[in-house]
Amino acid sequence: DAGVIQSPRHEVTEMGQEVTLRCKPISGHNSLFWYRQTMMRGLELLIYFNNNVPIDDSGMPEDRFSAKMPNASFSTLKIQPSEPRDSAVYFCASSLDRGGQPQHFGDGTRLSIL
Amino acid sequence: AQSVAQPEDQVNVAEGNPLTVKCTYSVSGNPYLFWYVQYPNRGLQFLLKYITGDNLVKGSYGFEAEFNKSQTSFHLKKPSALVSDSALYFCAVREPSGNTGKLIFGQGTTLQVKP
């Protein structure tokens, strides 16, 4: 079975540029989560969706960050404009919200803002 | 508010020895508890979970965890460590109702298994 698919795996761009990260959740999963991981702050939940609807975006650092889920098989996380402090590994995870099912993580996008 | 604590940043153990990675939690009601492992340049991988039932839960790669309600702990264990078990381990908790699968993660514990 295909797991959670994230693209790109690596992104290097200059400060001020727009960055778009993409995620394809596991088919049939109805919850989707975006995380950010850094050495300093560890693993942080940015936003999560249930049935394509944003439920909690309190972890989104500021207005430069936005996330969408136009359908059950695709989500994007956008940073505009990007800043060097946004450099991190961004993970997408999905789960089936039933009976304590675990989240399944993609392998992440390593983002470097120069 | 629910929270998870992993009191050790790093655990060192010799190959073949038993290992324990500690986790304590704070949550209202009966928790759903999870352990994940992260290898370099990879996402978190699910190891095991406790929802209800037997306090000793068995998971992938020979790992197990013991749920202790009185001590609010969910320590990860393995009888005999392998060098390949060296990785970053996360404990997580979810309240059983009222949300849609959101997990609260601990800060992670690096396990180093030496030959």
Side-chain angles (χ1 to χ4, degrees):
Chain A
D1 289 341
V4 174
I5 299 172
Q6 292 187 245
S7 64
R9 287 297 313 275
H10 303 275
E11 175 88 11
V12 180
T13 192
E14 292 188 348
M15 182 175 64
Q17 297 298 306
E18 177 179 291
V19 174
T20 299
L21 311 181
R22 297 172 175 81
C23 175
K24 178 179 170 56
I26 293 173
S27 177
H29 283 188
N30 62 342
S31 290
L32 184 139
F33 307 81
W34 281 101
Y35 294 88
R36 178 172 69 176
Q37 186 177 37
T38 61
M39 290 292 293
M40 290 296 295
R41 300 174 69 91
L43 190 66
E44 303 173 275
L45 176 65
L46 301 177
I47 185 171
Y48 74 97
F49 296 82
N50 183 253
N51 294 323
N52 311 337
V53 176
I55 302 299
D56 183 355
D57 65 354
S58 60
M60 296 285 262
E62 47 196 277
D63 292 346
R64 297 185 297 105
F65 286 68
S66 62
K68 294 183 179 179
M69 192 164 186
N71 56 63
S73 59
F74 185 64
S75 177
T76 60
L77 177 67
K78 186 174 294 186
I79 309 173
Q80 168 63 18
S82 58
E83 296 183 4
R85 61 194 168 120
D86 302 331
S87 297
V89 181
Y90 290 81
F91 289 104
C92 176
S94 71
S95 70
L96 181 62
D97 179 37
R98 182 183 306 162
Q101 294 300 307
Q103 292 181 17
H104 296 264
F105 283 71
D107 280 334
T109 295
R110 183 172 297 275
L111 178 63
S112 296
I113 308 298
L114 306 177
Chain B
Q2 48 183 338
S3 65
V4 177
Q6 294 179 242
E8 301 154 316
D9 289 337
Q10 182 159 328
V11 171
N12 299 310
V13 65
E15 187 174 32
N17 283 359
L19 69 88
T20 298
V21 183
K22 296 180 180 178
C23 172
T24 59
Y25 65 89
S26 174
V27 67
S28 57
N30 295 316
Y32 291 178
L33 295 158
F34 301 82
W35 275 103
Y36 286 81
V37 60
Q38 185 181 25
Y39 298 102
N41 300 314
R42 299 296 304 275
L44 280 68
Q45 296 178 32
F46 168 70
L47 275 179
L48 52 79
K49 67 180 179 182
Y50 172 83
I51 305 299
T52 186
D54 194 348
N55 289 344
L56 186 63
V57 179
K58 294 187 184 297
S60 306
Y61 312 122
F63 283 93
E64 57 189 28
E66 186 169 10
F67 171 64
N68 187 317
K69 188 172 184 178
S70 63
Q71 297 186 4
T72 61
S73 67
F74 190 56
H75 301 331
L76 181 70
K77 300 180 180 183
K78 188 174 182 181
S80 179
L82 300 172
V83 172
S84 57
D85 292 330
S86 299
L88 181 59
Y89 290 81
F90 290 93
C91 181
V93 66
R94 174 196 161 182
E95 288 184 347
S97 63
N99 61 41
T100 51
K102 176 182 175 180
L103 296 178
I104 304 300
F105 284 89
Q107 71 271 32
T109 298
T110 298
L111 173 66
Q112 185 84 356
V113 181
K114 298 184 178 179

